[in-house]
Amino acid sequence: QQQVKQSPQSLIVQKGGISIINCAYENTAFDYFPWYQQFPGKGPALLIAIRPDVSEKKEGRFTISFNKSAKQFSLHIMDSQPGDSATYFCAATDYNAGNMLTFGGGTRLMVKP
Amino acid sequence: EAGVTQSPTHLIKTRGQQVTLRCSPISGHTSVYWYQQALGLGLQFLLWYDEGEERNRGNFPPRFSGRQFPNYSSELNVNALELEDSALYLCASSLRGTQETQYFGPGTRLLVL
């Protein structure tokens, strides 16, 4: 059973545009929601993370929006750049069940110059 | 500060063989996590070690095992390799028992023929 569903699977955005990636979760015990960025041949790297007591978190061009009642969260990349082209994974953890990450399926983002 | 390191970077094995992958966490990190990133299946949690003990394991058969050494480095062992074990195996480390960021290594790419 996929506990974190991510969409879209792939996304093409023009340079300067806004990239939006959505995730939905089922387990209401999840209490930490990080986003990871992965370039080819590299391991995932933490981009930004949010806890459910906050509805929005912004770091530079990256913003997480969190809707606890809908069990959804999304990543917005403002002013998307070709260097942002990578695969993005949302994830969630339930601290009381162990700190392992449950990942969404990933979104391959391509930002066209 | 050195990041998470993994060895080897690539590995080719045949069905039925056994393989050992190695991971060195960031200095000061005591928790080590293993994830499998198989094509089409996304990132899946394998094992979590902390303070030398296995704390949790994902939905994988017992032929996936590992251990953590006193210096907090870790090994992942896979016995009786099957074709579907072909994947990128990622190791991550974090501070003990917290929801602090999990930092990933570059992974070991395993191909089973």
Side-chain angles (χ1 to χ4, degrees), chain A residues 31 38 51 93 95 97 99 101, chain B residues 35 37 56 97-99 102:
Chain A
D31 53 6
Q38 186 178 29
R51 298 189 187 276
T93 68
Y95 178 72
N99 201 26
L101 291 160
Chain B
Y35 295 87
Q37 188 172 25
N56 210 334
T98 71
Q99 277 183 330
Q102 290 186 26

Side-chain angles (χ1 to χ4, degrees), chain B residues 49-112:
Chain B
Y49 291 94
D50 184 72
E51 296 286 351
E53 299 285 333
E54 181 181 304
R55 300 295 182 181
N56 210 334
R57 68 180 292 127
N59 189 25
F60 282 84
R63 57 192 186 81
F64 287 83
S65 65
R67 55 180 174 168
Q68 186 178 34
F69 298 97
N71 66 353
Y72 304 114
S73 66
S74 176
E75 283 183 353
L76 174 68
N77 299 294
V78 188
N79 295 319
L81 284 166
E82 300 180 1
L83 298 179
E84 53 264 35
D85 296 335
S86 295
L88 180 67
Y89 289 86
L90 291 159
C91 171
S93 73
S94 76
L95 293 172
R96 179 177 185 274
T98 71
Q99 277 183 330
E100 295 291 329
T101 302
Q102 290 186 26
Y103 294 88
F104 283 82
T108 293
R109 187 162 297 280
L110 172 65
L111 177 61
V112 182

Side-chain angles (χ1 to χ4, degrees), chain A residues 5 7 17 21 25 31 35 40 43-44 55 67 69 73-74 95 103:
Chain A
K5 295 184 179 180
S7 63
I21 304 170
Y25 62 96
D31 53 6
W35 283 87
S55 61
N67 186 329
S69 60
F73 57 112
S74 61
Y95 178 72
F103 284 91

